[in-house]
């Protein structure tokens, strides 16, 4: 029997570990429909939904949020409805700034597409101990509704769940 080359063996091992992480018993994926907003997403645990008034750079709106937490990491989809669709770019930017500010963070990468959606990755700190935090977010606009999909938590916990968990969440999001 011939031994596998070391780079190939490492690749196979990393692939196996990635698959096992995606099947982690702590991730109990379930399809969830938005209560106050038209979307469908996979969340890794039983979600809770709440709505509350917020101020987005001078715009008073109500944000509806559906979220689940696993191992200290929050997976959430939030949405607001604007009085005028022309306000959407301003609201999207305000949502992005507020999320990054919540972790005292800095955006590490940002990518926009032609439809006006924005994806960011940010690092910062959370908690009284200023624990390193990681934030991954997707922002999208559908007429007068602005959405944010977020994975946020201690950097070590986000990293432990792995890229596959974030990818499952973000790629499952369907806005109607």
């Amino acid at each position: 029997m011939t031994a596998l080359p070391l780079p190939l063996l490492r690749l196979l091992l990393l692939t196996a570990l990635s698959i096992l992480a995606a099947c982690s018993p702590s991730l109990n994926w379930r399809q969830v429909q938005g209560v106050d907003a038209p979307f469908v997403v996979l969340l890794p645990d039983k979600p809770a939904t709440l709505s509350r008034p917020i101020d987005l750079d001078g715009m008073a709106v109500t944000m509806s949020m559906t979220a689940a937490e696993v191992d200290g990491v929050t997976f959430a989809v939030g949405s607001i409805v604007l009085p005028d669709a022309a306000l959407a770019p301003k609201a999207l930017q305000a949502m992005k700034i507020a999320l990054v500010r919540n972790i005292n963070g800095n955006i590490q990468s940002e990518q926009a597409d032609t439809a006006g959606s924005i994806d960011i990755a940010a690092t910062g700190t959370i908690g009284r101990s200023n624990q390193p935090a990681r934030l991954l977010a997707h922002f999208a606009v559908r007429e007068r509704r602005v959405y944010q999909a977020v994975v946020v938590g201690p950097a070590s916990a986000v990293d432990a769940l792995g890229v596959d968990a974030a990818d499952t969440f973000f790629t499952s999001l369907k806005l109607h």
Side-chain angles (χ1 to χ4, degrees), residues 82-99:
L82 299 168
D84 182 353
L87 297 171
K90 179 182 176 184
L92 189 144
Q93 289 298 320
M95 289 170 86
K96 179 180 76 171
I97 290 166
L99 273 175

Side-chain angles (χ1 to χ4, degrees), residues 53-127:
I54 62 169
D55 182 301
L56 278 180
D57 196 23
M59 289 184 282
V61 294
T62 298
M63 177 171 273
S64 174
M65 183 77 64
T66 300
E69 184 178 315
V70 174
D71 298 336
V73 177
T74 300
F75 293 76
V77 178
S79 71
I80 61 169
V81 177
L82 299 168
D84 182 353
L87 297 171
K90 179 182 176 184
L92 189 144
Q93 289 298 320
M95 289 170 86
K96 179 180 76 171
I97 290 166
L99 273 175
V100 174
R101 190 176 293 144
N102 283 344
I103 63 164
N104 302 310
N106 294 303
I107 295 174
Q108 303 300 306
S109 68
E110 182 169 342
Q111 185 173 7
D113 67 16
T114 56
S117 295
I118 298 174
D119 294 316
I120 66 166
T123 57
T125 59
I126 55 176

